[in-house]
Amino acid sequence: MAEVKMVDLKKRKFIRSGMFTAAALPVTALSAGHEKRTLGNLSGESLPPEFTIKNGRVVDNPDVRLGFARCWGCYDNCSVRVRIDKQSGEVQRVSGNPFCPNNRYRPESLSTSVEEALVKLTEQDSLDNRATTCGRGTAAGDAVNSKQRVTQVLKRVGKRGERRWKSIPYEQALREIIQGGDLFGEGKVEGLAAIHQPDKLANPQDPLFGPASKQLLISYNSEVQVRTSLLRRFAGQFRASIGKKSAYCGAQQRIGIKRVFKSAIFGGAAHAHPDIDFEAGNDGCKFGLYIGTSPSNSGNSLNTLGAQLAQARTEYGYDYVCVDPILRNATTHATGGEWLPILPGRDTPFLFGLMRHIFENRRYNKKHLENTTDAAARQDGELHHTNASYLVVQNVGHPLQNQFLREGDGEPMVMVDGQLKPVTVAPHGELFVDQEITYRNEKLHLISSLELMRQEVYKTPMSEYAAVTGIPEQKIRDIANRFTSHGRKAAVMLSTASNSADGTITGWATAMLNLLIGSHNAKGGACYWHGPVSGLKGPYILNSVEGGYGKADQGVSLNREGKYEQSQEYHAKLKQGLTPYPAQDPWPQTAPVQNTAEMLTSHINRRPYSLKAFISWRANVLYGASGLPSEVFDAFKDPHGEHGIPLIIAIADQISTTAEYADYIIPDFVHMEELAIDRHWGSERKGISASGHLLEPKTDKNQAGQHICMEQFLIDVAKTLKLKGFGAKAIRKEDGAYVDLHSEHQWGAYMLANCAANIGDDLPRATARDLELSGAKYGMRNLYPHIDASEAKLVERLLSRGGYFDQSPRYDGEFQSGKPRLCLNVYNEGLTKAINCYSGQPLKGYPTYAPNAFWNGDLWEEHWPKPDYPVLMSSYKSTLRSPWSVSYDRTVEFSPTNFVYMHQQTGRELGLKDGDTVTVRSAINRPATGILKLVDDIVPGAISIATGFGHSAYGANDLWIDGQKQAGDPRRGAGISVNPIIPTDPTRNGPAPLVDVHTYCTCRHGVPVKVEKA
Ligand code: SF4
């Protein structure tokens, strides 16, 4: 029997207690050696500090190694400072990196030496130099030695889901996964070699869907640039299907926001924040409207936003309102913020109510909206101009229907003093036009963009906006007045908790409101997350494979992210004389974001084809996606059932809900063992957190002496299958030389070298002392052999401050600097070129309001009547939990469980008492059980539940490896899980999740449920 590797719990217990104390005393840190522990009056069990200061210089603790790493407690990707015991290599404490804008209100200048920055941390007379992480970030060091961490290669024994595996050599797993065979005594299973059929069709009836190799679906995490890019390289050359989480994590809102920036069927995604950056000071945002979230809540860089918020509201008179079903952090008594309760899933009508008041009272920014060209905007000192006055042709059947009237094929036309003029000679256009006019002997019905928006908003009376949101009409008007009382120094933002059946529209409406007051990219207005610094381009050409497959070779995805009108289904219907609409299934042409949940739906419905194998890397679709049909779970549970996926491989450090069903588990790194160059979520200051290999990985080694991890596994599979772009001389450099790709070390070295080269001279200088104190030298030990000395120097400079954080001036006059000058879309002309695959109608170029509906247009209430489902359900991100942070011991200690929150009055009406154990049940009849909390700070008629709880995996349950039981920790299973409660869409053609009907991303909020005593 192979040795079962268990974590040294005694040691962990000790370390944990020390770290806890350290959190209270950030200056005096700890050491791991028991024998060196000193007990002080103030510090209790604290250990000797990680460094001391003498004569203004850092005196090292010889037992301690320091280093910067990218945190992976959530997607904010903060840079953290880690203290590691030299002897054991164990993490002893995690705190903030003073250079990173996610960790400090005013980050340290990159020109400051690491030593000086550390000295400043110890200054006692100011909090300004402190660098902090959130509670989850400090706990994230627990990932390394987490209970039930996977460090060996495992093969299933017994049935799927029984959580029984045996350890096997890496090479055996590799062979079996590739060759297939009767692997489990259950019959033959096709291996990856047989599934890899790039020359056959996935769906022989429709070549649109590409090669048969796509019967392998790889579900991955897209937020880890260095690692994700290798996985995508593999998927591209295998020609596999590839899916991620965005579509069940709020992509629709961000796609909606981007529609004001880019005229296209799909223009990308964007995320706004009110600008309360320190550099704005008193010129920062004066009024912030937070929809479905609160400032500094999870998902939006809580360290930075928390500090910014505190400063803005105490020093600069920042006024803000959180429109949310439940009162969360940052709006409590005396913070200056206000909580405005709203019924779940009703954010869009609230935003439309605001717009209605703004139009009725002409409280929009007329000057900004009227500018028709960049020249006009410059003349007026504006950054952007808009198409608010452009005229849209309304004539049904006209070749220009829904398009702008143009002078010939050229410039759009606007109305000025009753005359049509091209924008080139009309710097300002009339905003509200709706008239018939004869132009070039044609009678045209023309409506201006802003008038179209106004007419849409006016379709619904204010009283109805008030009734459906549960917010009094006067309150909506009051908020609209406050929003429009500060010029452009106001902004609306939203977060995942507003994803209902119209989440795309919700996002779009927030961006429209920001557009109406001209706050996009304004100083103190709406600002946006920055993008990454690429590691794919640079001296190493990593974004393509010489002689390999490109994007065009992959075909339309398993969940149909293409144009329905190109499909065989469409043409076959036409041929039969049938109307081609509705399509059998959604075609998310407007949101090609690789929706894994819909791909699994396609599999169970066998349209357009079913899967033969599934690989999951750092993704947990069975826990993270809401409303998955039960048949999807069946597909994982039974490889030989009606829907069975024959081969499942998980590449994981913990056994998640999805990995529980794996036939093989390949162990993987945790964050401090991996390389990173990742941009920050929630920070508008451009920057990336970068990591070397700060720890020696805990995973087993293969026969070649390499630590087993995702990259090594995929590289070895690729080499066996002779995929292009892997192995000897697989990568071309810009200078014409070729380099090998045999290992994770090589790929990481090339990526970091590219990234550093792309930043170039803006990187800070790095002395030997900087490299030592930042851990850069140690972190690069595996990279030096694979890159040139000059490239290595740049990587050293990148790692010497834990990444690169742009510190150039943030503003240029009244706007944020470095922003492209754009025509902002009140009307998105490009979008109207897409056709709704259900109705056959062109999409509208502006946001429209309708009550929540299903795929076929039926209203929710028609299927889920209020008497049967009297309560609307909502969920929210916990400040201290991400779905996977349950595997950190201290997370379950300081965030032990969640509750079903309900208003006292609603509880009384339903005959429920505080503390009751209740079931929450939607129409899918998949009840979940939780503890009821009756409170006053939630809107009546609703429930709200924090996400990230109710795990059945991640160490919550017992599992067996080589016959030995690894006991589960019931604390990890505490609470109630939200996603299984969400119902499927009864109007879809086969089992399928409830979706946002505009982009077919997953819908999670406002669903009617019943709550009963269990
Ligand atoms: S906000 Fe997220 S990334 Fe930043 S320290 Fe906290 S858990 Fe880590």
Side-chain angles (χ1 to χ4, degrees):
M1 184 186 292
E3 182 200 0
V4 177
K5 295 185 177 171
M6 300 291 286
V7 167
D8 182 343
L9 291 177
K10 264 193 208 151
K11 185 166 195 177
R12 280 182 65 250
K13 196 170 173 206
F14 166 71
I15 292 169
R16 190 180 66 229
S17 67
M19 289 172 81
F20 180 78
T21 314
L25 292 166
V27 176
T28 51
L30 314 167
S31 168
H34 293 223
E35 69 285 352
K36 290 181 183 160
R37 189 164 46 146
T38 53
L39 297 179
N41 291 339
L42 295 176
S43 56
E45 288 195 345
S46 283
L47 296 162
E50 59 199 34
F51 59 84
T52 50
I53 307 296
K54 196 167 179 187
N55 300 327
R57 303 297 299 269
V58 168
V59 179
D60 300 347
N61 179 335
D63 298 325
V64 166
R65 177 160 65 78
L66 299 179
F68 295 130
R70 186 272 275 117
C71 180
W72 186 247
C74 74
Y75 293 127
D76 288 351
N77 288 318
C78 303
S79 179
V80 288
R81 189 164 48 93
V82 187
R83 171 191 166 131
I84 299 155
D85 179 60
K86 267 188 186 164
Q87 202 183 355
S88 65
E90 301 293 352
V91 174
Q92 296 175 316
R93 190 176 77 138
V94 178
S95 51
N97 174 353
F99 296 100
C100 176
N102 270 13
N103 298 110
R104 189 153 116 180
Y105 181 61
R106 290 173 195 269
E108 192 63 62
S109 165
L110 288 183
S111 61
T112 305
S113 71
V114 180
E115 177 158 15
E116 193 184 335
L118 294 182
V119 171
K120 282 176 158 184
L121 283 173
T122 67
E123 288 171 1
Q124 300 292 313
D125 53 356
S126 164
L127 292 178
D128 288 353
N129 293 334
R130 290 188 61 183
T132 55
T133 66
C134 76
R136 187 173 45 206
T138 57
D142 291 357
V144 181
N145 288 325
S146 177
K147 278 176 206 155
Q148 295 192 354
R149 173 158 182 205
V150 183
T151 55
Q152 303 159 284
V153 177
L154 302 175
K155 178 179 178 180
R156 170 170 68 87
V157 291
K159 294 204 173 110
R160 279 200 191 152
E162 287 184 354
R163 296 191 293 274
R164 290 176 188 273
W165 290 273
K166 64 178 178 182
S167 55
I168 60 170
Y170 171 76
E171 290 71 20
Q172 178 190 338
L174 198 60
R175 192 173 59 248
E176 292 182 3
I177 289 168
I178 293 172
Q179 293 179 1
D182 187 4
L183 303 171
F184 305 96
E186 299 168 348
K188 190 169 183 306
V189 179
E190 279 187 63
L192 295 186
I195 295 168
H196 180 237
Q197 298 182 84
D199 300 325
K200 285 192 177 169
L201 292 177
N203 178 338
Q205 271 74 54
D206 195 342
L208 193 65
F209 293 106
S213 316
K214 291 175 77 177
Q215 289 174 294
L216 164 64
L217 169 59
I218 304 178
S219 168
Y220 74 108
N221 194 304
S222 58
E223 301 292 338
V224 193
Q225 189 189 170
V226 177
R227 310 195 65 196
T228 299
S229 56
L230 186 282
L231 182 144
R232 291 174 64 93
R233 183 182 184 90
F234 173 86
Q237 299 316 303
F238 189 97
R239 298 173 84 190
S241 295
I242 186 160
K244 61 184 182 185
K245 68 162 179 71
S246 316
Y248 52 86
C249 189
Q252 61 267 56
Q253 297 170 351
R254 295 190 278 277
I255 289 168
I257 291 171
K258 197 67 192 284
R259 285 179 175 174
V260 305
F261 291 99
K262 190 160 179 186
S263 174
I265 290 173
F266 172 65
H271 195 117
H273 279 287
D275 179 21
I276 48 176
D277 188 87
F278 73 86
E279 206 173 316
N282 203 27
D283 276 347
C285 192
K286 296 296 177 211
F287 182 78
L289 193 53
Y290 297 82
I291 309 294
T293 187
S294 57
S296 80
N297 204 30
S298 179
N300 294 310
S301 188
L302 29 159
N303 301 307
T304 311
L305 276 178
Q308 288 177 343
L309 178 68
Q311 193 78 7
R313 70 191 181 201
T314 54
E315 298 286 325
Y316 307 127
Y318 184 52
D319 181 18
Y320 61 100
V321 177
C322 300
V323 186
D324 208 354
I326 187 167
L327 169 62
R328 297 192 246 172
N329 58 315
T331 43
T332 47
H333 185 61
T335 63
E338 177 185 343
W339 169 55
L340 179 59
I342 186 171
L343 283 165
R346 307 290 171 82
D347 297 308
T348 299
F350 169 70
L351 298 168
F352 270 62
L354 296 181
M355 282 197 271
R356 182 166 183 126
H357 181 82
I358 290 168
F359 282 125
E360 284 174 354
N361 296 281
R362 296 187 173 85
R363 294 184 71 90
Y364 42 82
N365 185 334
K366 184 167 179 282
K367 188 176 155 197
H368 167 64
L369 292 165
E370 280 180 346
N371 282 325
T372 59
T373 61
D374 182 50
R378 284 179 193 275
Q379 188 77 30
D380 276 352
E382 296 273 350
L383 178 66
H384 303 306
H385 61 289
T386 83
N387 65 20
S389 58
Y390 293 12
L391 299 166
V392 184
V393 177
Q394 302 296 309
N395 304 49
V396 176
H398 191 281
L400 280 179
Q401 185 189 355
N402 299 326
Q403 306 299 299
F404 292 133
L405 178 67
R406 288 186 156 78
E407 190 187 41
D409 288 337
E411 298 301 328
M413 308 283 281
V414 295
M415 192 71 79
V416 181
D417 298 331
Q419 301 290 312
L420 282 177
K421 291 188 177 174
V423 294
T424 40
V425 296
H428 307 115
E430 287 174 24
L431 294 178
F432 299 105
V433 178
D434 180 353
Q435 68 184 81
E436 295 210 326
I437 200 160
T438 302
Y439 178 69
R440 293 189 173 165
N441 301 323
E442 259 192 309
K443 206 168 192 183
L444 296 176
H445 180 196
L446 303 175
I447 304 182
S448 62
S449 300
L450 196 64
E451 176 62 18
L452 281 169
M453 187 70 248
R454 182 168 74 165
Q455 288 182 9
E456 177 63 28
V457 165
Y458 281 4
K459 274 184 192 163
T460 308
M462 202 64 161
S463 55
E464 193 174 325
Y465 291 138
V468 296
T469 56
I471 300 174
E473 182 177 329
Q474 192 48 48
K475 188 68 188 175
I476 297 175
R477 292 185 184 280
D478 169 51
I479 300 289
N481 283 335
R482 285 158 74 185
F483 177 66
T484 51
S485 292
H486 306 279
R488 49 178 33 119
K489 293 192 185 301
V492 194
M493 74 163 282
L494 81 172
S495 193
T496 318
S498 19
N499 280 343
S500 199
D502 62 354
T504 311
I505 301 294
T506 313
W508 200 355
T510 62
M512 193 63 73
L513 278 159
N514 289 331
L515 202 165
L516 287 178
I517 62 166
S519 83
H520 290 293
N521 299 122
K523 186 181 196 176
C527 53
Y528 292 86
W529 295 3
H530 60 76
V533 178
S534 176
L536 284 168
K537 294 180 189 168
Y540 299 85
I541 301 170
L542 305 180
N543 58 346
S544 61
V545 172
E546 210 171 55
Y549 296 110
K551 205 173 168 193
D553 299 312
Q554 309 301 336
V556 167
S557 67
L558 175 54
N559 64 321
R560 302 162 297 272
E561 291 174 348
K563 199 170 174 184
Y564 169 57
E565 290 72 23
Q566 292 175 344
S567 71
Q568 286 300 317
E569 179 192 337
Y570 175 88
H571 289 290
K573 284 180 183 165
L574 277 187
K575 220 170 170 179
Q576 293 167 44
L578 302 170
T579 169
Y581 301 99
Q584 282 186 298
D585 303 284
W587 284 69
Q589 192 186 357
T590 58
V593 291
Q594 304 175 337
N595 184 348
T596 312
E598 279 288 324
M599 290 182 186
L600 291 170
T601 302
S602 299
H603 162 74
I604 57 173
N605 289 315
R606 299 196 177 87
R607 290 192 307 271
Y609 52 89
S610 54
L611 294 169
K612 291 183 173 177
F614 180 83
I615 297 178
S616 175
W617 173 68
R618 205 174 274 194
N620 188 8
V621 60
L622 295 191
Y623 180 83
S626 59
L628 283 177
S630 301
E631 290 83 350
V632 168
F633 291 90
D634 295 342
F636 280 77
K637 284 177 189 159
D638 183 0
H640 310 290
E642 184 188 351
H643 303 290
I645 301 174
L647 180 63
I648 296 178
I649 300 146
I651 309 172
D653 62 293
Q654 285 278 323
I655 298 175
S656 67
T657 312
T658 309
E660 267 194 340
Y661 300 107
D663 299 313
Y664 294 90
I665 302 180
I666 306 295
D668 196 38
F669 298 161
V670 298
H671 61 294
M672 292 176 202
E673 298 166 348
E674 71 188 3
L675 301 170
I677 42 169
D678 293 314
R679 55 111 197 201
H680 308 133
W681 269 31
S683 171
E684 305 79 33
R685 291 181 163 267
K686 186 161 183 158
I688 52 162
S689 296
S691 279
H693 288 121
L694 202 59
L695 301 177
E696 193 60 23
K698 298 271 182 195
T699 59
D700 279 357
K701 289 183 176 176
N702 61 16
Q703 281 176 5
Q706 298 154 319
H707 278 288
I708 302 164
C709 60
M710 176 268 284
E711 291 89 334
Q712 205 53 57
F713 172 70
L714 294 183
I715 289 170
D716 289 339
V717 172
K719 282 167 63 181
T720 310
L721 297 179
K722 300 195 172 12
L723 302 186
K724 290 236 186 286
F726 296 85
K729 296 192 178 357
I731 292 168
R732 193 163 71 84
K733 291 190 73 176
E734 269 189 336
D735 63 8
Y738 285 84
V739 292
D740 298 345
L741 179 53
H742 295 296
S743 69
E744 178 262 341
H745 293 173
Q746 288 171 327
W747 179 260
Y750 308 151
M751 284 288 290
L752 262 68
N754 275 354
C755 178
N758 289 331
I759 303 167
D761 286 343
D762 286 344
L763 290 169
R765 297 280 143 208
T767 63
R769 186 70 171 140
D770 290 327
L771 297 182
E772 188 186 3
L773 289 173
S774 62
K777 204 93 189 167
Y778 181 86
M780 287 181 64
R781 67 197 178 284
N782 302 318
L783 312 185
Y784 287 116
H786 306 297
I787 49 178
D788 299 347
S790 60
E791 294 165 353
K793 282 273 171 246
L794 284 176
V795 178
E796 285 177 346
R797 288 165 64 183
L798 173 66
L799 294 183
S800 71
R801 306 299 191 279
Y804 169 70
F805 315 107
D806 179 24
Q807 294 172 333
S808 53
R810 184 171 157 83
Y811 302 106
D812 181 4
E814 285 307 300
F815 295 90
Q816 290 154 31
S817 55
K819 304 296 171 195
R821 304 180 64 86
L822 300 172
C823 176
L824 299 180
N825 304 305
V826 171
Y827 184 83
N828 192 313
E829 187 186 34
L831 184 65
T832 64
K833 299 198 170 119
I835 292 173
N836 181 305
C837 65
Y838 192 91
S839 67
Q841 296 301 309
L843 299 188
K844 297 280 189 199
Y846 48 88
T848 54
Y849 167 64
N852 284 328
F854 296 106
W855 148 251
N856 77 344
D858 288 0
L859 296 181
W860 281 5
E861 281 174 18
E862 293 173 42
H863 293 254
W864 302 331
K866 190 159 187 197
D868 293 349
Y869 302 101
V871 174
L872 299 180
M873 178 171 156
S874 169
S875 58
Y876 64 95
K877 285 182 177 175
S878 151
T879 309
L880 291 168
R881 281 219 180 192
S882 52
W884 64 92
S885 64
V886 66
S887 64
Y888 313 152
D889 240 19
R890 280 176 302 153
T891 296
V892 292
E893 285 169 5
F894 54 56
S895 164
T897 192
N898 66 350
F899 298 98
V900 178
Y901 286 105
M902 177 185 276
H903 196 277
Q904 304 267 10
Q905 177 194 320
T906 311
R908 278 195 297 275
E909 286 165 8
L910 295 175
L912 297 169
K913 291 198 305 295
D914 185 62
D916 278 351
T917 301
V918 292
T919 55
V920 181
R921 189 189 309 258
S922 73
I924 199 174
N925 199 19
R926 204 162 48 190
T929 304
I931 304 297
L932 187 71
K933 275 262 181 226
L934 295 181
V935 293
D936 291 324
D937 47 17
I938 182 171
V939 67
I943 57 167
S944 191
I945 306 172
T947 56
F949 293 83
H951 282 275
S952 60
Y954 267 112
N957 287 328
D958 300 342
L959 55 87
W960 289 261
I961 295 175
D962 296 329
Q964 287 189 23
K965 178 173 157 180
Q966 293 195 17
D969 182 345
R971 297 176 308 163
R972 294 190 180 187
I976 175 171
S977 174
V978 169
N979 287 329
I981 303 168
I982 308 297
T984 50
D985 182 338
T987 73
R988 291 273 296 270
N989 193 1
L994 192 64
V995 288
D996 175 331
V997 294
H998 299 275
T999 47
Y1000 311 126
C1001 295
T1002 304
C1003 160
R1004 192 183 268 120
H1005 290 273
V1007 167
V1009 294
K1010 64 175 84 171
V1011 183
E1012 295 166 320
K1013 201 158 188 296

